[in-house]
Amino acid sequence: MNYEAVIGLEVHVQLKTRSKMFCGCKNEYGASPNTHACPVCLGLPGSLPVPNEEAVRLTILTGMMLGCKIATVCKFDRKNYYYPDMPKNYQISQYDMPLCEGGAVVLDKFAFPKECQKDPEANAKKPIRLVRIHLEEDVAKSFHFEETSGIDFNRAGTPLMEIVSEADIASPAEAFAYLTTLRRILLYGNVSDADMEKGQMRCDVNISVRPVGQKEFGTKCELKNLNSISGVRRALEHEIQRQIEVVSKGGKIVQETRRWDDVAGQTFLMRVKEQAHDYRYFPDPDLLPVRTDSGLSDAAKASLPELPQQKKDRLIRELALSEYQAEVLSSDQPLCAYFEKASIATKNKAGVANFLINDFLATEPDTSSIAIPPEHFSSLADLVGEGKITSSQAKTVFAELVKTNEAPAAIVARLGLQQISDSSQLEKLCDDAIAANPRSVADYKAGKKNAINALKGNVMKATKGQANPAVVDEILAKKLAS
Amino acid sequence: MKKNSQRFPFETGSKKTLGSAALSGYHIHLVQTGKIDVAYVAQLCRLKLNQEEIDRFNTQLGDILKLVEQLQKIDVSGVPDVPPDFAISGNVLRKDEDRESFPVELALQNAPSKSNDLFIVPKIVE
Amino acid sequence: MSLAQETLSSLRKKLSAREIAPEEIVRDLLQRMEKTEPKIKGYLRWDAEDALRQAKEADISKPLGGVPIAIKDNINTRGDGCTCSSKILEGYVAPYDATVITKLREAGAILLGRTNLDEFAMGSSTENSAITTTRNPWDTERIPGGSSGGSAAVVAARSAIAALGSDTGGSIRQPAALCGIVGLKPTYGRVSRYGLIAFASSLDQIGPMTRTVEDAALILQTIAGPDPRENTSKNLPVPDYLSLMRQPLKGLRVGVPKEYFVSGMDREIEKAVRIAVDWYAKNGAEVIEVSLPNAEAAIAVYYIIATAEASANLARFDGVRYGRRAKDVSDAIDLHARTRAEGFGPEVKRRIILGTYVLSSGYYDAYYNRAQKVRRLMRQDFTEAFKKCDVLLTPTSPTPAFKVGEKTQDPVEMYLADIFTTSANLTEVCAISIPCGFSTAGLPIGLQLMGPHFEEEKLLRAAWNYEQAHEWHKQEPKL
């Protein structure tokens, strides 16, 4: 019997705001414990929340980028449960009137793991539908010691966006692609840095299996403690196996929460926190409802970036880049912005793309702050396109460019790298080569066309590689034909 | 005009003061309605009660529930879940600017147990 | 007459005229407190040295400069305790000022003394205080009302010039009525709740408790206003209450809701209030009968909504970040459950359980959701009534002060004390209680006026005119 997986992901994203969701404390990772705390985020008696406008705007923006319906009015609700990392023992969240509903994340080929990119699954452009996106506050952070735990409230109150997908994801690779694509979009909108290692993007998974063709869902398990996108993939691969083994032996899956241990490569049953999750949601009486149509939606729309897929399509369509080139550039927003500046003055846009992708990226630069003036790439591309230097010469120039930021023309002049295209000069050198290689000439005339390469090599050597190879080919061919 | 029913505490009883007379009459008219499972609810709200408290509260809360049962008889069919004037006024939101937080000593000032600038609790087992 | 017996406004006049200094007022009060507190126990604590220091530094050019005000012990005042009369907040030192405290300080007031309350403001007699039982100055066998019983008692006993209280279902007005003083609950959103330890977030308000209407207006003028720290505070300007208060009664329409006058209610209270109604009719006001059809539902709606909100608001008291913590706790659940069991009194526990229940899965629609809908019906009733009148007039309390221990056996009996006051909290309107007579046993009787949202000036005008034509406010308990 063949089984298929049914997977839904719940992703929590910390928003990139200056202050916390309901108070003015700084929203900053890595500060000394309890240095960004106040009565509100400590849950002191008498404190009251006031919502962060920017957090609402960023959530609307995310909803717009993902094609969601933005609610005209939304509100906050209290989600009641007890845990030591909860300052109030209720979390301010959104229950029945969230900011966004619907929408989808379309899986792009290049978002799949490299080894899967040729699979049909990766090329299906499958949309993973979203249920909703809502806004809430993060909990405090705990550190665990021998007999005690220590709690740091710096993180408490950080604005958190919860993105819930439908159970449309069918494989660990799709889950990987979903998270990669989602992350890229979040970076594009400057909504979050979404770094999973810093806890800025966190993922819980619901996974069940069922025989292929069955309509009903199997019993699902929730997986927690997934700390990286590839960790999610590994955990899913393991858990799917585990569930299939149980079910195929006639056993039943128990609905439970399991903790992924990346080191052990296994999921373990977690201790049950609340028997039944009766969160007793009710509208938070301390908070007024929020309208999105009185300026917030407009503000979000105004900052809508060109989305990764749109950008890719445009690069291919308008700048004649290849799919691969468009993918690499669009996956790195600052690099792409640099590319657009760097290619503006030249017709040879593909050439600029190649330099950036092949040569520049090999130097492992910080793409968010490139020191090289972008116009130099245009000049370099022009020099090659117009035949003034050879492509191998270009590599030499490029190496110098990275070192000195000098204009390419100046480098070429300095190093004397002018490509020789002048036919009169080359005619003479070709004659020399023919004279020096009678055997190759004879071979060529006898039908071995490749013999021309030896003659060509001769000319290149004589010109220290600066001869224009196309012109040399032409001249030699003409001379040998006669 | 809404008929003042027997439910309203003032209506019953003939003694001078409002309190107990009205109540005894009221109690007579009561019908056993909902009952709270105090032990279960106490778990939800993290209150460790002893058996005596559970029993006492079971009775008292039963009485209180009877008090509130009268709401079931009011016609709310015309009242929508979300009122039409919900969010009628403009938003009251906070600009995203960071303000000074407490110095760490003040944040921890009332902590029953603290160490290395952290609030200490018994070990949390996931 | 000692300074402790004077009103806030008369003291302000003397201070401004430099006839007296703030220290004199403080010393007088301290003397009075020493004398009366053994019998009254309205204060939980006070700091004489600190009060004298404040008095020396007081700026009498400010609106409340040099006047001492007592604060109910559920309002955060930096550096001081804020027990809510509960064991669970033993040792808690407030690290910040409530907005009203900031405003009082900016107005030059002296903060002297923290007053007793029912634990977490839950109660109508102050007997639920885990610390002490306050006595009614008019008859020390009797309760002062609640939950702001401490504030009411000390103002009535003249051991405070004025006090702040809080009102969720009548907790300012009912004790004011039972102690023969003035108590005002502002419109919801008029005075900031930031720093008030929350009981029911959609009902709570802080308000003045004073000997005269003018004193209440003076304090309201200072503490009212929008607060960026409270999302539900209303951004509306604060009118000049004092000048609006002094307008004559002529043309004021007084509505008397028939549902608040029913057979079986306390005869003496009914009589005193009816006499007051007649007085209004004879002195320039237009008196009409109105109807608030859903009035009966008030208590039921209140005890569902208030306890639901309270169950969430009190969840934060768990021994992790502040307050008392149970000893030798084994894990998080034990930490929470035992800390709370040991720290909360029975009434608080009852309300938390009830509140949790009405929000719980399967019951939310039948209780909480339904109660909110009935609440909206009540709001409609008031909106309709205020089309026909400017203020509503009712008794404040169904009974005068009852004896200590009389109603503690049956929670429901105690809840019925709020029967006339809860509707103002549920509909968010402003309301005031003023003295309007005494029972034959010599116990104060209070009259309640309710006014439209953010029109406290109508209340003050109606109340002040009545007060000035009577002598109730000049009577003092014999202590």
Side-chain angles (χ1 to χ4, degrees):
Chain A
M1 167 120 74
N2 273 334
Y3 290 89
E4 62 183 10
V6 177
I7 300 166
L9 296 188
E10 240 175 63
V11 178
H12 286 90
V13 179
Q14 284 185 340
L15 295 177
K16 207 166 152 173
T17 55
R18 277 208 281 271
S19 62
K20 293 188 181 182
M21 183 65 222
F22 292 109
C23 66
C25 287
K26 209 171 186 181
N27 176 7
E28 185 190 43
Y29 176 82
S32 287
N34 290 305
T35 51
H36 294 326
C38 77
V40 180
C41 53
L42 283 171
L44 293 191
S47 63
L48 293 172
V50 184
N52 181 330
E53 185 177 63
E54 178 66 359
V56 180
R57 191 189 71 82
L58 290 176
T59 307
I60 297 173
L61 175 61
T62 306
M64 286 177 169
M65 291 195 292
L66 295 172
C68 305
K69 176 174 177 302
I70 311 296
T72 313
V73 178
C74 71
K75 65 169 168 60
F76 293 101
D77 300 284
R78 293 190 184 177
K79 179 179 182 181
N80 299 280
Y81 67 101
Y82 287 78
Y83 211 65
D85 62 6
M86 299 271 285
K88 302 181 290 297
N89 287 318
Y90 64 83
Q91 180 194 34
I92 301 178
S93 178
Q94 296 188 302
Y95 181 53
D96 57 334
M97 287 174 70
L99 257 173
C100 315
E101 285 182 292
V105 173
V106 179
L107 301 183
D108 177 72
K109 165 167 94 183
F110 290 98
F112 278 80
K114 254 205 168 62
E115 64 274 21
C116 304
Q117 286 178 8
K118 297 231 163 63
D119 300 345
E121 177 182 61
N123 289 279
K125 285 207 185 295
K126 177 176 174 180
I128 305 295
R129 295 168 303 158
L130 299 179
V131 178
R132 53 188 272 157
I133 302 178
H134 71 250
L135 190 51
E136 57 187 28
E137 54 176 352
D138 208 347
V139 302
K141 191 158 174 190
S142 354
F143 298 92
H144 305 295
F145 311 116
E146 276 281 317
E147 318 241 315
T148 58
S149 295
I151 310 185
D152 171 14
F153 286 84
N154 284 354
R155 193 178 77 176
T158 302
L160 212 58
M161 208 170 43
E162 181 173 329
I163 303 175
V164 183
S165 83
E166 298 274 13
D168 286 353
I169 297 170
S171 72
E174 279 189 10
F176 183 100
Y178 174 84
L179 290 168
T180 304
T181 308
L182 182 59
R183 177 159 192 268
R184 183 183 297 189
I185 291 171
L186 294 169
L187 288 166
Y188 256 70
N190 205 22
V191 163
S192 171
D193 290 334
D195 181 344
M196 280 189 83
E197 319 239 310
K198 290 190 181 157
Q200 294 165 341
M201 185 167 90
R202 312 199 289 260
C203 181
D204 293 331
V205 174
N206 284 307
I207 155 93
S208 65
V209 298
R210 65 183 172 193
V212 173
Q214 179 178 296
K215 276 219 173 65
E216 296 79 45
F217 291 144
T219 306
K220 65 175 183 218
C221 284
E222 192 187 0
L223 300 185
K224 285 188 174 296
N225 194 38
L226 306 164
N227 294 324
S228 64
I229 297 181
S230 47
V232 172
R233 185 181 174 210
R234 283 192 290 275
L236 280 170
E237 277 166 354
H238 167 85
E239 177 64 12
I240 291 170
Q241 266 317 298
R242 184 192 77 85
Q243 290 196 12
I244 290 177
E245 267 176 44
V246 169
V247 171
S248 58
K249 288 194 186 124
K252 271 191 159 44
I253 300 290
V254 177
Q255 183 170 346
E256 56 197 16
T257 302
R258 299 181 70 84
R259 187 171 196 280
W260 168 249
D261 185 329
D262 210 32
V263 172
Q266 285 193 336
T267 59
F268 297 93
L269 176 61
M270 272 177 79
R271 228 152 273 225
V272 179
K273 285 200 274 198
E274 296 260 323
Q275 309 162 273
H277 288 275
D278 187 352
Y279 290 123
R280 308 185 291 288
Y281 284 100
F282 71 101
D284 194 325
D286 286 329
L287 292 166
L288 298 174
V290 175
R291 294 199 77 95
T292 59
D293 60 353
S294 60
L296 284 171
S297 270
D298 292 339
K301 208 179 266 178
S303 65
L304 258 183
E306 185 184 32
L307 290 176
Q309 193 57 46
Q310 296 168 312
K311 194 181 283 290
K312 263 179 72 175
D313 293 340
R314 183 172 61 78
L315 290 175
I316 294 169
R317 198 178 57 242
E318 290 175 12
L319 303 180
L321 297 190
S322 74
E323 197 186 3
Y324 173 72
Q325 287 174 324
E327 164 61 22
V328 175
L329 289 175
S330 67
S331 70
D332 184 334
Q333 220 182 348
L335 181 64
C336 195
Y338 184 86
F339 163 73
E340 306 215 41
K341 273 188 262 177
S343 57
I344 222 171
T346 178
K347 285 207 194 96
N348 186 8
K349 319 232 184 236
V352 175
N354 278 329
F355 280 124
L356 283 175
I357 294 168
N358 302 331
D359 303 277
F360 185 58
L361 284 183
T363 68
E364 295 189 14
D366 174 7
T367 55
S368 58
S369 60
I370 300 175
I372 306 171
E375 55 272 21
H376 289 350
F377 277 93
S378 288
S379 316
L380 187 54
D382 275 342
L383 288 173
V384 176
E386 290 160 18
K388 296 216 171 77
I389 56 174
T390 64
S391 34
S392 58
Q393 282 174 324
K395 291 207 187 294
T396 314
V397 175
F398 178 78
E400 280 300 300
L401 176 61
V402 171
K403 258 192 279 177
T404 66
N405 284 357
E406 256 181 288
I411 298 173
V412 166
R414 183 161 57 81
L415 299 180
L417 287 178
Q418 217 66 357
Q419 183 171 253
I420 302 170
S421 300
D422 174 30
S423 12
S424 49
Q425 223 188 326
L426 290 176
E427 294 255 351
K428 177 161 188 317
L429 291 169
C430 285
D431 288 334
D432 289 345
I434 291 173
N437 294 282
R439 250 264 296 278
S440 305
V441 174
D443 286 343
Y444 180 84
K445 290 201 176 164
K448 271 215 206 121
K449 295 299 171 193
N450 282 345
I452 202 172
N453 289 337
L455 299 167
K456 189 168 158 192
N458 215 281
V459 176
M460 298 306 281
K461 194 156 154 219
T463 60
K464 292 199 185 60
Q466 288 176 249
N468 185 328
V471 177
V472 171
D473 273 336
E474 222 189 284
I475 296 173
L476 281 174
K478 223 172 39 186
K479 285 188 190 294
L480 290 170
S482 56
Chain B
M1 186 197 121
K2 197 170 195 292
K3 201 167 147 204
N4 281 329
S5 70
Q6 297 280 38
R7 294 176 285 111
F8 195 42
F10 294 165
E11 302 298 317
T12 55
S14 53
K15 292 200 195 145
K16 290 189 202 78
T17 58
L18 179 61
S20 30
L23 249 296
S24 50
Y26 180 71
H27 280 143
I28 287 164
H29 289 280
L30 292 175
V31 175
Q32 277 287 347
T33 47
K35 230 180 168 283
I36 300 179
D37 179 354
V38 170
Y40 170 68
V41 176
Q43 263 184 20
L44 279 183
C45 57
R46 296 291 192 266
L47 285 174
K48 192 181 170 88
L49 303 178
N50 58 42
Q51 193 55 49
E52 187 270 320
E53 282 174 303
I54 292 175
D55 294 336
R56 184 163 32 98
F57 287 168
N58 260 317
T59 312
Q60 291 172 331
L61 287 167
D63 293 342
I64 296 168
L65 270 193
K66 284 162 200 160
L67 175 70
V68 305
E69 280 309 313
Q70 60 171 276
L71 287 188
Q72 301 307 321
K73 303 193 178 95
I74 299 181
D75 179 13
V76 294
S77 56
V79 187
D81 272 336
V82 180
D85 63 349
F86 194 62
I88 206 166
S89 50
N91 290 333
V92 183
L93 299 171
R94 188 175 48 83
K95 288 265 171 275
D96 183 29
E97 286 151 0
D98 55 279
R99 270 200 306 257
E100 250 182 69
S101 302
F102 274 177
V104 63
E105 306 77 36
L106 197 59
L108 288 160
Q109 178 181 272
N110 289 295
S113 174
K114 57 190 169 203
S115 167
N116 292 327
D117 292 340
L118 295 170
F119 290 85
I120 300 296
V121 295
K123 179 147 185 189
I124 303 168
V125 186
E126 295 265 303
Chain C
M1 182 147 117
S2 85
L3 293 176
Q5 293 167 292
E6 300 216 23
T7 64
L8 197 163
S9 84
S10 103
L11 288 172
R12 278 294 308 150
K13 290 194 182 79
K14 291 187 176 169
L15 283 163
S16 299
R18 298 195 187 261
E19 286 169 29
I20 55 171
E23 286 113 301
E24 294 174 58
I25 308 175
V26 172
R27 279 187 219 283
D28 243 31
L29 270 177
L30 288 169
Q31 255 181 27
R32 182 86 183 155
M33 284 151 84
E34 300 283 338
K35 176 170 177 237
T36 57
E37 273 298 284
K39 279 176 262 174
I40 303 299
K41 298 194 202 303
Y43 284 102
L44 291 174
R45 61 191 178 279
W46 69 83
D47 186 338
E49 259 179 56
D50 179 68
L52 287 165
R53 180 196 54 80
Q54 290 182 58
K56 277 195 184 64
E57 295 167 7
D59 180 352
I60 55 174
S61 69
K62 299 257 168 70
L64 296 176
V67 178
I69 299 187
I71 308 292
K72 185 175 180 182
D73 206 25
N74 62 354
I75 298 173
N76 276 277
T77 301
R78 185 174 173 151
D80 204 338
C82 196
T83 63
C84 295
S85 290
S86 177
K87 289 196 223 142
I88 215 168
L89 278 173
E90 257 166 25
Y92 170 74
V93 176
Y96 73 104
D97 274 341
T99 299
V100 295
I101 297 297
T102 304
K103 290 189 168 209
L104 285 180
R105 289 198 210 266
E106 281 168 0
I110 295 166
L111 305 174
L112 169 53
R114 310 286 296 181
T115 60
N116 195 19
L117 58 149
D118 281 297
E119 188 180 358
F120 282 106
M122 298 181 181
S124 310
S125 66
T126 310
E127 291 172 288
N128 290 327
S129 166
I131 303 183
T132 189
T133 301
T134 302
R135 303 295 175 129
N136 192 317
W138 297 90
D139 177 343
T140 54
E141 302 286 298
R142 294 176 185 264
I143 50 85
S147 61
S148 311
S151 286
V154 300
V155 170
R158 274 71 181 154
S159 56
I161 305 299
L164 285 190
S166 72
D167 191 314
T168 306
S171 291
I172 284 176
R173 294 160 286 150
Q174 186 254 22
L178 268 46
C179 289
I181 61 163
V182 175
L184 185 142
K185 181 201 87 71
T187 310
Y188 182 80
R190 177 77 283 184
V191 172
S192 171
R193 294 185 293 119
Y194 185 78
L196 167 68
I197 299 189
F199 163 8
S201 315
S202 73
L203 304 172
D204 293 342
Q205 268 294 282
I206 294 175
M209 301 181 75
T210 57
R211 305 208 207 109
T212 64
V213 175
E214 182 174 6
D215 285 1
L218 274 165
I219 293 182
L220 182 64
Q221 193 75 52
T222 300
I223 61 175
D227 185 5
R229 289 184 192 267
E230 182 202 339
N231 206 216
T232 48
S233 94
K234 197 77 173 176
N235 190 5
L236 281 174
V238 181
D240 180 352
Y241 291 124
L242 285 155
S243 54
L244 291 166
M245 176 186 81
R246 294 185 217 278
Q247 300 302 310
L249 263 187
K250 187 131 185 75
L252 188 81
R253 297 164 302 163
V254 175
V256 180
K258 60 175 189 259
E259 290 82 2
Y260 286 61
F261 292 84
V262 290
S263 60
M265 70 184 284
D266 183 295
R267 281 273 136 79
E268 297 192 292
I269 292 191
E270 185 178 3
K271 182 166 167 210
V273 174
R274 289 241 184 253
I275 290 173
V277 172
D278 288 341
W279 181 89
Y280 274 103
K282 291 192 180 86
N283 283 275
E286 188 196 322
V287 174
I288 53 172
E289 190 187 66
V290 296
S291 173
L292 298 171
N294 291 287
E296 297 171 23
I299 288 280
V301 174
Y302 174 75
Y303 276 97
I304 289 176
I305 295 178
T307 58
E309 294 179 2
S311 72
N313 286 329
L314 267 62
R316 65 189 66 196
F317 299 101
D318 62 4
V320 173
R321 290 145 287 121
Y322 45 82
R324 172 194 245 210
R325 180 190 285 196
K327 299 241 171 303
D328 303 320
V329 287
S330 52
D331 59 27
I333 295 183
D334 192 37
L335 165 67
H336 291 165
R338 270 208 291 129
T339 293
R340 293 159 61 77
E342 290 171 19
F344 288 140
E347 183 59 36
V348 172
K349 285 179 184 164
R350 266 193 294 271
R351 296 197 193 196
I352 291 174
I353 291 173
L354 179 60
T356 305
Y357 172 74
V358 303
L359 289 173
S360 66
S361 173
Y363 296 102
Y364 177 87
D365 262 321
Y367 290 109
Y368 187 79
N369 204 19
R370 179 170 268 271
Q372 291 286 18
K373 291 186 179 184
V374 176
R375 181 180 181 177
R376 269 189 266 145
L377 288 176
M378 290 175 64
R379 271 205 206 101
Q380 272 172 34
D381 288 353
F382 273 69
T383 305
E384 284 309 304
F386 282 132
K387 287 181 183 158
K388 305 186 189 113
C389 64
D390 298 301
V391 296
L392 293 162
L393 192 159
T394 78
T396 308
S397 166
T399 64
F402 41 90
K403 287 207 194 291
V404 171
E406 187 179 322
K407 295 190 196 260
T408 48
Q409 292 315 301
D410 184 350
V412 175
E413 226 185 291
M414 188 69 85
Y415 292 172
L416 294 176
D418 296 332
I419 211 137
F420 296 134
T421 48
T422 51
S423 42
N425 304 83
L426 291 168
T427 57
E428 303 174 8
V429 300
C430 53
I432 192 172
S433 179
I434 54 175
C436 71
F438 288 87
S439 71
T440 46
L443 301 171
I445 294 174
L447 134 70
Q448 173 177 242
L449 295 159
M450 296 189 274
H453 298 118
F454 299 102
E455 296 191 65
E456 280 78 355
E457 58 272 14
K458 285 188 174 163
L459 285 185
L460 293 166
R461 172 179 157 211
W464 182 79
N465 276 282
Y466 174 88
E467 175 195 68
Q468 292 300 300
H470 296 81
E471 305 266 292
W472 309 123
H473 61 292
K474 294 187 181 157
Q475 304 225 22
E476 279 184 33
K478 292 181 196 52
L479 279 168

